[in-house]
Amino acid sequence: MVKLGFLGLGIMGSAMARNLLHAGFDLTVWNRDREKMAPLTEAGAKPAESPADVASTCDITIAMVSNPEASHAIAFGKDGVIEGLSQGKGYVEMSTIDPQTSHAIAKAVRAKDARYLEAPVSGSKKPAEDATLVLLAAGDHALYDEMKEAFEAIGKLTVYLGEVGQGSAMKLVVNMIMGGMMAAFCEGIALAQANHLAPEDLFAVLDAGATANPMFRLKGPMIEQEQFSPSFPLQHMQKDLRLALALGEICALPLPTIAAANAQFLRARGMGLETLDFSAVWKAIQTVKP
Ligand code: NAP
C-alpha cells in the first residue's frame, strides 16, 4: 500500500489522519507543535522530524495547515516539503489557500519532477471525524486517481475540478457564502431580540421554510447559549473571506455583501475571538444595537 505522510494535525488534520490510519494506511505524521503528534503515533502512525523528512520517506505527502502563510512555510521553509520531494512523489495540499499560493507550490513541486494536487475540503470537525468531508480536487489527474482510496477514507464525495487553482477557487466561493450566511444569521438574531422575539421562535420559523439549513440548525443553539467551542475557528473564516475578496479583486468583482460580512469578522478578531468557533461573530454583532 502507498506510504502516506500527513503534515498539520489541527482540528481537521488530526481527524483526517486518524481516519487514514483506521483505513489501514502506512502513515507518517508531522506537526509544528510536536505534542499534537502523540495521539496519532500512539495509534500507530510514525513520527517525522520535519516536512522534508515526511516528503522524502513517503510516496505521497498531504498537508492540512491554517492558511497560505503556513502552506508556504511548510513547502518552502528550511526542511520543507520541496527539499524532500523527488521524481514521481506526490504532494496533496488540502489546506484552504488562495489559487496563487497553490500555483506557486505546484510550480516548485513540478520543478522537482514530483506531482501536485490541491484538494481543500468542505465540511467541519464532525464531518472530518465521521469521514464525510467533500473534497474539491484539482491538478495532477494521475495523482488524483492514486488518492482515490485515501480520499474515500476521509470523505463522502470527491469532485475533480480541473487545473490547479480551481479547487481553491471553489473552496473560497463556498466559504464566502457560508461566512455571509453566518453574518446575516447573527444580524437576524440581533434584530429579532431587539424586537422582543425569542431566538428559538426565529430558529423554528427559519427551519420550517426555504431558509432551513444544517448550519443554522447547528449554530443557532450555540449562539443562544454562547458556547463557542471551535469546530471551524473564526480566524480561518475571516482568512477565507479575505482570500475570497482578493480573488474578487483579481476578477474586478467588488462582492460588497461579503466585504460587509468580512468587516463583522474583523471586528470579532479585534475583540480577541479568533480562536473561538466562527459563530462567535455573534459577539461582535450583538454589541451593535439597532
Ligand atoms: P487548526 O486547528 O487551527 O490547525 C492549524 C494547523 O496548522 C496546526 O497543525 C498548526 O500547527 C498548523 N500551522 C499553522 N501555522 C503553521 C506554520 N507556520 N508552520 C507549520 N504549521 C503551521 O485549523 P483547522 O481547523 O484544522 O484547519 C486547517 C485548514 O483547513 C485551514 O486552512 C482551514 O481553513 C481549513 N478548513 C477548516 C475547517 C474546519 O471546520 N475547521 C473546515 C474546512 C477547511 P500547530 O499545532 O503547531 O499550531
Side-chain angles (χ1 to χ4, degrees):
M1 193 177 244
V2 63
K3 279 183 77 172
L4 290 182
F6 207 105
L7 309 174
L9 303 171
I11 293 171
M12 299 297 283
S14 57
M16 291 156 70
R18 191 169 287 277
N19 283 329
L20 290 170
L21 269 183
H22 284 163
F25 281 96
D26 178 329
L27 189 73
T28 301
V29 295
W30 175 86
N31 193 68
R32 182 181 59 175
D33 170 359
R34 302 303 165 90
E35 278 183 23
K36 291 188 191 160
M37 288 164 58
L40 272 301
T41 52
E42 280 158 20
K46 294 172 196 149
E49 287 301 314
S50 66
D53 187 16
V54 174
S56 63
T57 55
C58 298
D59 303 312
I60 300 173
T61 300
I62 300 167
M64 189 57 166
V65 293
S66 314
N67 52 32
E69 294 74 24
S71 289
H72 196 279
I74 61 166
F76 295 105
K78 187 178 174 312
D79 298 323
V81 171
I82 302 301
E83 273 183 37
L85 286 177
S86 53
Q87 188 177 17
K89 288 188 184 281
Y91 189 41
V92 182
E93 175 52 272
M94 301 191 76
S95 321
T96 305
I97 58 175
D98 54 306
Q100 292 72 23
T101 303
S102 195
H103 276 296
I105 298 171
K107 192 173 168 203
V109 169
R110 288 170 185 156
K112 302 283 300 232
D113 284 330
R115 299 165 303 150
Y116 180 80
L117 188 72
E118 59 179 19
V121 305
S122 195
S124 196
K125 184 178 182 218
K126 182 86 170 45
E129 289 168 352
D130 296 347
T132 56
L133 294 169
V134 176
L135 283 68
L136 311 172
D140 190 294
H141 205 286
L143 181 55
Y144 171 75
D145 290 338
E146 275 171 53
M147 285 297 290
K148 187 172 183 290
E149 224 180 307
F151 285 164
E152 281 171 4
I154 54 183
K156 64 175 178 187
L157 172 73
T158 304
V159 287
Y160 181 79
L161 295 161
E163 295 298 311
V164 169
Q166 297 298 92
S168 300
M170 178 66 90
K171 175 63 191 166
L172 294 180
V173 170
V174 170
N175 269 29
M176 167 191 113
I177 294 171
M178 204 165 82
M181 281 171 69
M182 178 57 79
F185 186 44
C186 290
E187 288 185 3
I189 299 168
L191 187 60
Q193 281 186 341
N195 286 277
H196 314 291
L197 294 166
E200 55 271 26
D201 288 338
L202 171 65
F203 300 156
V205 174
L206 288 172
D207 205 39
T211 43
N213 70 76
M215 186 175 86
F216 288 178
R217 213 169 291 142
L218 179 72
K219 303 296 183 182
M222 285 173 69
I223 292 167
E224 202 181 358
Q225 291 153 31
E226 301 216 343
Q227 293 296 326
F228 298 116
S229 167
S231 287
F232 181 32
L234 188 141
Q235 60 192 349
H236 297 339
M237 174 53 91
Q238 196 274 315
K239 171 258 304 181
D240 293 347
L241 294 172
R242 169 172 63 84
L243 297 178
L245 288 169
L247 193 58
E249 245 184 68
I250 291 167
C251 309
L253 269 175
L255 309 175
T257 310
I258 299 311
N262 184 47
Q264 300 286 30
F265 281 91
L266 274 177
R267 194 200 316 268
R269 269 189 55 199
M271 291 169 67
L273 307 171
E274 58 264 46
T275 58
L276 299 182
D277 189 71
F278 79 113
S279 50
V281 72
W282 161 250
K283 289 176 84 71
I285 289 172
Q286 73 164 164
T287 58
V288 184
K289 300 290 178 208

